[in-house]
Amino acid sequence: MEETELFDRSLAVMLLIVLSPILLVRAALALLSRKLFISKPYRGKAGKEFNLLFFNNILFPGTRLAHLFNIVRGDLAFVGPSFRESQGLDEQLPETQRLLSVRPGIFSPADLRRKLAMDHEGRMAIELEWISNRSIRGNLTLLLRTLISRILYGDAKARAPDKISFFGIVIKNTSMDVAVADILEASKNHPCTVLQYVNPHCLNTAYKNEEYRQALLNADCILPDGSGINLGCRMKKIALKGNLNGTDLFPKLCEAAQESGQSLFLLGGEPGIAASTAENMQAQYPNLKISGTHHGFFDDEDEVIDLINGSGTDILLVAMGVPMQELWIENNRDKLEVGLAMGVGGLFDFYSGRISRAPIWLREIGFEWVWRILQEPGRMWRRYVIGNPLFMWRVWMEARNEPFDSSMLVKKKDGGYDLAVLPPSRTVTQRNLLLKNLRIRANNMRRARWRMRILFHAVFKRLMDISAAFLLILLLTPVFALVAMIIKLESPGPVFFSQKRVGRGAITFDFYKFRSMYTDAEERKKELMEQNEMQGGVIFKMKDDPRVTRVGKFIRKYSIDELPQLYNVLRGDMSLVGPRPPVPSEVEEYTVSDRRRLDSIPGITGLWQVSGRSEIPFDQQVEMDVQYIYSATLWENIKLLFKTIPAVLAGKGAY
């Protein structure tokens, strides 16, 4: 057994012991669905198929705690490649064979990168790199990074629209490969296409600087940069397809430009920085065409523009910092004879070697900004220490007061996008669209709260039913035995009476009571129908029903005959509180309005049972049942159960 496998199994056993109280509760909740585990087939180590375990009943959290049993069995590891489906794997590929050489993991290095939208290399490349360097120490640090990432960025899957917006700035939401391909394609066209990046600092600047904001709005495309944008998307409950910061995109752009034969011009930075960057990148990509470089400290702007145009470059990278680079591109856009111009911030500082980049483990938890502060505290502390919280507060206020989303984007004639609502100036149509969107969101929120309320009520009501019914059956066992003996002594026939009743959704079930009538009661009912004393005619009731035995009158008066229905409650056919289940012949006479009673699980007691029982006319029974169905709470159920006690002892309306 490998060292890492022994560690995983030992840790899993320890967690099973520590979490045993939680696991027992989760197992009990799973058994509410009459099955402890559900499973799904996956490929494990050496291609061996195994069943991945989940606790049943997905309505409750903790379904994946069952994975610990897979780890103890040796199917899984805590850290490893992602689960592979049992079908569709090409095991002849060397990459697949390497992935199948280790156990799949609950936590994957690729999933961690995906959380920060940093999985630019692709899932397989990330996991193969991890396999080459795996160790117990590496696994523990990855578990810690995953925990931090899930605390900061959550674990829920969110929709990923093609466009996202912050403060009216529309950002393209795309992957790294698509972005690089789009840049190369746009650089073939003239006049100059403008592409810009935004991070929280940029958006904070645009919030107050109208000139810079307008330069961003005039850009043909804006890409997201940094983990702060990812966190802002999470606050808006949307997902970022790719963290397209220029530092990660630049080498991929150089590689793609080398293959396509397109050229770059580097403008910006201190003297010598752009030239050092060009030298380093050409050493890495020998066939890369860099048509020229120039530092960012110049007086004769026209001379620099002539130099750029004369180079015949396809892509111009401008590194002057925010907002200077965006304003320079905007002001000189018509003069530039390049295919595409883009601002890249401090990119050249990294690739010239002047400033080192944060290690990957720090970037995986979105803390690259800490590294930047440590390297340049005088310049960076205000941007991150003050700027990041300010950005989050503004995003929260926007999401709370004026939620923008992709459904509010409109396509412009030139193929770009704009917001249908853009503060502060709005047309009447735009304002109506915003109001409509807000109404839709408000209605969705109300429906979501209603569904959660129904779910909460149903779950806890079921738990209350099971525990109370089980306890009552144990306590009333002597009463059951005594009643059964008396029934048997008075008249021949079975102790229990079983009858088909109609439950929720018009589904029939076997309904149990102590027998309170003679065995030929159903045959005699036809003869007595004309003497029915129940108003409405749907339900048959007689105060002095000749079919009822002497013992039956007593147990019916005090509802003792209903006690076997506790078994129906345990089975889930009935609840302690709810509308009484009718017989099929009664349901056949129901009107459409009467059928509202069948929208809920029937109960042993209910609102009309504690209000007069059989003395309540049928139409009023229906209304009281419907009132209960649409307004019941857990507290209301408890009150009805307590009201049942005096109602039973009084025996009013029981016959």
Side-chain angles (χ1 to χ4, degrees):
M1 185 182 296
E2 294 182 2
E3 185 180 16
T4 53
E5 184 174 352
L6 179 62
F7 173 80
D8 284 337
R9 288 189 175 188
S10 302
L11 180 59
V13 170
M14 184 176 67
L15 287 174
L16 285 172
I17 295 172
V18 172
L19 299 175
S20 56
I22 298 175
L23 291 170
L24 288 173
V25 172
R26 191 60 191 81
L29 294 174
L31 287 173
L32 290 176
S33 301
R34 298 193 179 101
K35 189 177 181 181
L36 182 58
F37 295 115
I38 55 176
S39 62
K40 187 175 181 180
Y42 285 96
R43 286 288 178 88
K45 186 176 180 180
K48 182 181 177 181
E49 188 173 282
F50 71 94
N51 288 320
L52 183 64
L53 299 177
F54 299 84
F55 278 120
N56 198 10
N57 201 328
I58 60 173
L59 295 177
F60 299 94
T63 59
R64 297 189 180 186
L65 287 175
H67 293 354
L68 292 172
F69 296 105
N70 284 111
I71 295 178
V72 173
R73 293 193 326 194
D75 301 327
L76 286 181
F78 278 104
V79 178
S82 307
F83 303 138
R84 305 289 168 177
E85 296 285 352
S86 59
Q87 303 295 328
L89 273 179
D90 187 356
E91 297 185 23
Q92 303 303 316
L93 294 175
E95 295 84 357
T96 304
Q97 292 175 3
R98 286 193 64 196
L99 288 174
L100 295 178
S101 67
V102 298
R103 291 168 297 142
I106 297 176
F107 304 104
S108 163
D111 290 337
L112 177 59
R113 299 269 186 95
R114 174 63 253 171
K115 187 69 67 176
L116 269 293
M118 291 172 50
D119 53 339
H120 312 309
E121 299 89 345
R123 178 177 293 274
M124 182 170 288
I126 295 170
E127 292 177 346
L128 290 176
E129 180 186 1
W130 171 83
I131 290 174
S132 301
N133 303 296
R134 66 193 180 102
S135 64
I136 293 178
R137 179 181 177 183
N139 290 353
L140 285 174
T141 57
L142 190 139
L143 285 174
L144 179 61
R145 298 198 302 274
T146 300
L147 176 63
I148 295 172
S149 175
R150 292 194 175 185
I151 291 173
L152 290 175
Y153 301 97
D155 193 33
K157 293 183 179 179
R159 64 187 181 90
D162 294 332
K163 299 287 179 178
I164 55 179
S165 67
F166 292 98
F167 323 141
I169 305 297
V170 182
I171 304 169
K172 186 174 183 179
N173 192 13
T174 186
S175 65
M176 180 70 78
D177 292 338
V178 173
V180 171
D182 288 346
I183 289 173
L184 294 179
E185 184 63 29
S187 67
K188 299 176 183 178
N189 303 321
H190 289 273
C192 177
T193 299
V194 174
L195 182 147
Q196 302 292 6
Y197 282 97
V198 291
N199 55 28
H201 171 63
C202 298
L203 292 170
N204 281 337
T205 304
Y207 198 87
K208 291 187 175 182
N209 188 330
E210 186 58 35
E211 186 180 8
Y212 171 58
R213 174 188 176 85
Q214 195 58 48
L216 290 178
L217 292 175
N218 291 339
D220 296 287
C221 181
I222 300 177
L223 297 179
D225 174 15
S227 57
I229 297 292
N230 190 18
L231 190 55
C233 288
R234 294 285 175 173
M235 293 176 67
K236 289 193 167 192
K237 295 181 173 53
I238 56 178
L240 198 63
K241 294 179 181 179
N243 182 353
L244 308 183
N245 62 83
T247 315
D248 287 333
L249 184 141
F250 185 49
K252 292 185 176 296
L253 177 61
C254 290
E255 182 181 7
Q258 174 183 248
E259 296 176 0
S260 65
Q262 288 161 280
S263 58
L264 310 178
F265 191 104
L266 312 185
L267 173 65
E270 296 179 358
I273 295 296
S276 296
T277 301
E279 182 180 345
N280 292 339
M281 299 313 291
Q282 283 183 316
Q284 187 173 353
Y285 305 101
N287 297 323
L288 174 65
K289 295 180 182 179
I290 295 185
S291 53
T293 65
H294 198 285
H295 62 77
F297 298 88
F298 51 83
D299 296 323
D300 193 338
E301 191 171 83
D302 291 334
E303 181 182 345
V304 173
I305 292 175
D306 290 340
L307 177 64
I308 295 170
N309 293 340
S311 69
T313 191
D314 297 302
I315 301 172
L316 171 64
L317 307 182
V318 183
M320 297 179 181
V322 175
M324 186 180 297
Q325 61 193 18
E326 287 81 10
L327 296 177
W328 188 89
I329 293 174
E330 174 67 14
N331 294 333
N332 296 287
R333 180 174 187 171
D334 295 336
K335 301 177 184 179
L336 292 170
E337 298 175 2
V338 299
L340 181 139
M342 57 189 292
V344 293
L347 175 70
F348 300 164
D349 289 331
F350 293 114
Y351 285 97
S352 66
R354 191 182 81 83
I355 296 177
S356 62
R357 196 176 181 194
I360 187 64
W361 64 266
L362 204 58
R363 283 181 271 157
E364 284 179 342
I365 57 176
F367 277 31
E368 187 172 8
W369 58 273
V370 176
W371 185 266
R372 295 295 308 278
I373 291 177
L374 292 175
Q375 290 192 311
E376 300 179 279
R379 189 167 74 93
M380 294 294 179
W381 77 270
R382 185 181 297 274
R383 174 184 296 189
Y384 293 117
V385 176
I386 298 177
N388 281 359
L390 179 62
F391 171 72
M392 295 305 164
W393 180 79
R394 284 170 172 164
V395 172
W396 179 77
M397 289 295 292
E398 181 183 64
R400 178 172 176 263
N401 297 324
E402 197 166 273
F404 294 97
D405 61 24
S406 58
S407 66
M408 301 171 72
L409 295 173
V410 293
K411 196 167 186 177
K412 298 188 292 187
K413 291 182 179 179
D414 60 0
Y417 286 83
D418 201 353
L419 281 176
V421 284
L422 184 62
S425 60
R426 299 191 183 99
T427 66
V428 174
T429 302
Q430 291 169 345
R431 184 165 58 252
N432 290 340
L433 178 60
L434 174 59
L435 292 174
K436 179 181 178 181
N437 189 62
L438 292 176
R439 283 196 298 271
I440 292 172
R441 283 176 175 265
N443 290 334
N444 289 341
M445 287 295 294
R446 280 194 291 269
R447 282 195 291 268
R449 285 194 294 268
W450 176 251
R451 291 191 191 101
M452 287 303 297
R453 178 177 176 270
I454 293 174
L455 177 62
F456 178 85
H457 178 263
V459 168
F460 282 89
K461 185 182 181 185
R462 180 63 182 147
L463 290 175
M464 183 178 71
D465 285 342
I466 292 174
S467 55
F470 184 75
L471 181 61
L472 286 172
I473 288 174
L474 288 179
L475 295 176
L476 297 174
T477 299
V479 177
F480 274 68
L482 179 62
V483 173
M485 182 179 64
I486 296 175
I487 291 173
K488 199 69 176 176
L489 289 174
E490 184 191 11
S491 63
V495 171
F496 296 103
F497 172 71
S498 174
Q499 187 181 41
K500 291 292 182 182
R501 292 290 181 107
V502 181
R504 183 179 183 181
I507 297 174
T508 59
F509 64 94
D510 291 324
F511 173 87
Y512 299 101
K513 298 176 69 173
F514 279 122
R515 182 173 60 84
S516 60
M517 294 185 176
Y518 294 103
T519 55
D520 61 347
E522 285 300 314
E523 290 77 10
R524 296 169 63 184
K525 178 181 177 181
K526 299 176 183 178
E527 303 172 2
L528 301 170
M529 285 300 294
E530 294 182 358
Q531 303 178 45
N532 185 10
E533 299 175 8
M534 190 67 189
Q535 297 182 32
V538 177
I539 299 175
F540 180 83
K541 288 286 184 181
M542 289 181 62
K543 287 186 178 180
D544 297 316
D545 194 331
R547 302 173 301 160
V548 179
T549 64
R550 287 178 300 173
V551 173
K553 290 181 180 180
F554 177 82
I555 62 176
R556 285 164 74 95
K557 181 176 181 179
Y558 296 104
S559 298
I560 298 173
D561 62 325
E562 311 284 357
L563 293 179
Q565 290 159 40
L566 293 171
Y567 175 68
N568 286 111
V569 173
L570 284 179
R571 287 181 49 178
D573 301 325
M574 295 179 62
S575 174
L576 292 176
V577 181
R580 288 295 289 170
V583 297
S585 60
E586 293 172 356
V587 175
E588 291 175 2
E589 299 185 38
Y590 276 9
T591 64
V592 174
S593 177
D594 297 339
R595 285 182 175 270
R596 293 177 295 169
R597 302 181 77 196
L598 305 179
D599 290 342
S600 175
I601 297 176
I604 295 178
T605 186
L607 188 59
W608 64 267
Q609 286 91 335
V610 302
S611 304
R613 300 167 83 173
S614 297
E615 294 183 355
I616 305 292
F618 176 72
D619 56 345
Q620 292 184 28
Q621 290 182 15
V622 172
E623 293 305 318
M624 296 175 82
D625 282 339
V626 172
Q627 177 186 341
Y628 164 79
I629 291 171
Y630 293 105
S631 63
T633 62
L634 288 176
W635 178 238
E636 184 69 23
N637 289 338
I638 294 171
K639 288 197 297 184
L640 287 173
L641 287 173
F642 278 105
K643 287 181 179 180
T644 301
I645 298 174
V648 168
L649 294 177
K652 182 181 179 182
Y655 50 85

